Amino acid sequence: MRKSGQITLVSISLVFTAFQKMYDQHNFFTIDFFIFTIIAWIVGYQYDKVHHFEKKVRASERSYKKLIDSLPDPVYILKDYKFLYVNHAAVSLTGAKNKEELIGRHILDFLVPEYHDRALERFKQINKEKRPVNTIEYKAKRLDGSTFFFEVSSMYIVIGGQEAVLSIGKDISERKEQTEQLLQKSEKLALLGQMAAGIAHEIRNPLTSIRGFIQLFKSGQNYPEYYDIVLSELDRINSIVSEFLVLAKPTAAVFIEKDVKNLVNDVITLFNTQSILNNVQIFVEFDSDLPMVMCEENQLKQVFLNLLKNAIEAMPKGGNIDVKVKQKEEGKISIQIIDQGMGIPENRISTLGEPFYTTKEKGTGLGLMTCYKIIDSHNGEIKITSVVEEGTTVEITLPTITQSLLGVS
Ligand SMILES: Nc1ncnc2c1ncn2[C@@H]1O[C@H](COP(=O)(O)OP(=O)(O)O)[C@@H](O)[C@H]1O
Ligand SMILES: [Mg+2]
């Protein structure tokens, strides 16, 4: 503890008394001299004490601030939805150059629009209940527009006499990606298992006809006109098996230029038997001159497969499915799958795509979720509209090659 207060006050008192004594020509060491000095010393002592603690508090404040600044997880304080404080981790997570670039910015600038309502609702809750709230996940946006998943917990605080919200979070993109990959894998396996039954059927028909022809040839008669039929039946088996293998292959996300028309047709081939068994007819309609899309072929096929499967399953008594592939506005292609099935109640539409939501006895509730993830990774969109007892339309919009190349998507 520094003693500057005591020294200063006692010295002033000494000088003052000395001056007075000299002037009055009195004895220097009188009783009031002692009283003055003691009072000066006590006041000085108290001043030094306060000063000392103030310094200590300031130093510990600084060390706390340093500690929070250097935490590996992003920490920030919001006042009226605007950044009042951010630590280093928050700065680097958002891709800002320094703290100043963030201070004063609105939090919603850093969340993708779908999450805005959720965030505002949460801030209201924090301000009302004035207690920490559970962690929540957001899809957040960096300054350069790239997105990441962010998990955050927040609490109400009072800082400098002002109400604010303190949050601490974590970038969980990697964790989410891993879970998604696992889910996609398990969904794919389930799908392949289910498809296997359909594929067995698909192969048995041409096999039966080939067997018939071979028996005919064995009888010694020559029927060259049937050779071509046998060959084309064999080709058919071959293409079904290759299709199945394409789907079963592990997916390395390689995006290449593809014609959506071919992908859709390939997938529809896989449904031939299943649709006949279910009394379903699939009609396809393509715009001429469709632009190409940048895509991961197997993943897109998986989307069409899931959607067609849902459409068939929605029509237990059979019906028609229309598949329409059109060029939408410039740079966008739309693939619609329209069924005449049972439809989806309006209040359920928003639940679609959540994992494990299913109304089917043997459903996985993972199909639509996988579709959403895949289309999202292609910078596309899925829109589902439905009327109960009339049918459902699922529309996928994908950016076409020109747009992807320009990096607009
Ligand atoms: N075309 C459709 N018509 C009616 N309901 C649908 C359709 N597509 C999806 N659904 C509803 O969405 C739910 C989730 O679908 P999905 O994620 O594919 O899982 P699953 O097919 O295993 O149930 C289905 O159980 C069904 O209730
Ligand atoms: Mg499904």
Side-chain angles (χ1 to χ4, degrees), residues 306 310-311 313-314 339 342-344 352 357-360 363-369 392 394:
N306 285 334
N310 280 347
E313 286 165 355
D339 69 50
M342 57 184 73
I344 306 161
L352 301 174
Y357 168 71
T358 179
T359 52
K360 297 167 196 167
T364 59
L366 294 173
L368 280 179
M369 187 208 66
T392 304
V394 181

Side-chain angles (χ1 to χ4, degrees), residues 33-48:
F33 162 75
F34 285 112
I35 292 172
F36 275 142
T37 315
I38 286 170
I39 291 173
W41 178 76
I42 291 172
V43 174
Y45 176 77
Q46 292 302 334
Y47 169 81
D48 286 343

Side-chain angles (χ1 to χ4, degrees), residues 78-316:
L78 295 170
K79 160 133 184 57
D80 298 333
Y81 310 114
K82 290 185 180 139
F83 287 111
L84 193 70
Y85 164 81
V86 287
N87 73 349
H88 289 310
V91 172
S92 62
L93 184 68
T94 51
K97 280 191 231 55
N98 47 37
K99 290 183 178 184
E100 287 66 40
E101 210 174 329
L102 295 182
I103 303 292
R105 294 275 307 255
H106 203 285
I107 181 73
L108 292 189
D109 292 348
F110 296 87
L111 295 177
V112 301
E114 296 94 285
Y115 286 80
H116 285 185
D117 288 345
R118 206 183 294 189
L120 293 176
E121 194 56 41
R122 195 171 147 88
F123 285 121
K124 261 194 221 145
Q125 190 197 350
I126 297 169
N127 282 326
K128 202 171 113 201
E129 299 184 10
K130 304 205 184 329
R131 62 177 177 83
V133 287
N134 316 340
T135 44
I136 189 173
E137 273 178 32
Y138 290 119
K139 194 168 180 189
K141 220 166 55 180
R142 294 192 185 83
L143 281 172
D144 64 5
S146 60
T147 57
F148 61 98
F149 283 96
F150 191 59
E151 186 185 76
V152 60
S153 39
S154 308
M155 64 184 281
Y156 168 88
I157 55 164
V158 174
I159 187 165
Q162 301 178 330
E163 295 187 319
V165 176
L166 169 80
S167 300
I168 175 158
K170 196 183 256 151
D171 181 355
I172 52 160
S173 304
E174 209 172 296
R175 190 174 86 200
K176 271 201 89 95
E177 216 167 88
Q178 281 167 355
T179 331
E180 256 159 41
Q181 274 171 2
L182 276 176
L183 282 174
Q184 272 194 28
K185 221 176 186 172
S186 65
E187 162 73 2
K188 199 166 111 177
L189 285 176
L191 205 77
L192 285 172
Q194 288 163 9
M195 290 304 295
I199 280 160
H201 261 285
E202 198 80 7
I203 292 177
R204 202 147 71 186
N205 291 342
L207 277 182
T208 315
S209 81
I210 292 169
R211 190 172 196 281
F213 286 122
I214 302 276
Q215 257 176 345
L216 201 66
F217 300 156
K218 205 180 148 197
S219 67
Q221 281 152 312
N222 205 4
Y223 291 100
E225 66 271 30
Y226 292 143
Y227 291 170
D228 279 344
I229 303 181
V230 171
L231 281 176
S232 81
E233 292 289 53
L234 282 172
D235 284 345
R236 199 171 140 60
I237 293 177
N238 196 24
S239 69
I240 291 166
V241 172
S242 354
E243 201 51 62
F244 188 68
L245 287 180
V246 164
L247 283 166
K249 254 200 301 195
T251 44
V254 184
F255 281 67
I256 43 169
E257 216 174 292
K258 280 276 163 187
D259 190 342
V260 173
K261 194 162 88 185
N262 296 339
L263 302 190
V264 171
N265 275 333
D266 286 351
V267 174
I268 290 175
T269 319
L270 283 174
F271 279 100
N272 281 349
T273 313
Q274 207 183 336
S275 50
I276 294 166
L277 285 177
N278 290 283
N279 199 18
V280 166
Q281 286 213 68
I282 304 178
F283 298 94
V284 251
E285 200 182 306
F286 297 109
D287 263 5
S288 50
D289 276 347
L290 283 167
M292 308 279 257
V293 293
M294 267 299 208
C295 67
E296 160 55 59
E297 177 180 359
N298 294 333
Q299 289 188 354
L300 267 201
K301 280 189 181 175
Q302 201 178 343
V303 170
F304 301 144
L305 216 98
N306 285 334
L307 296 180
L308 279 170
K309 205 163 150 285
N310 280 347
I312 294 177
E313 286 165 355
M315 302 191 288

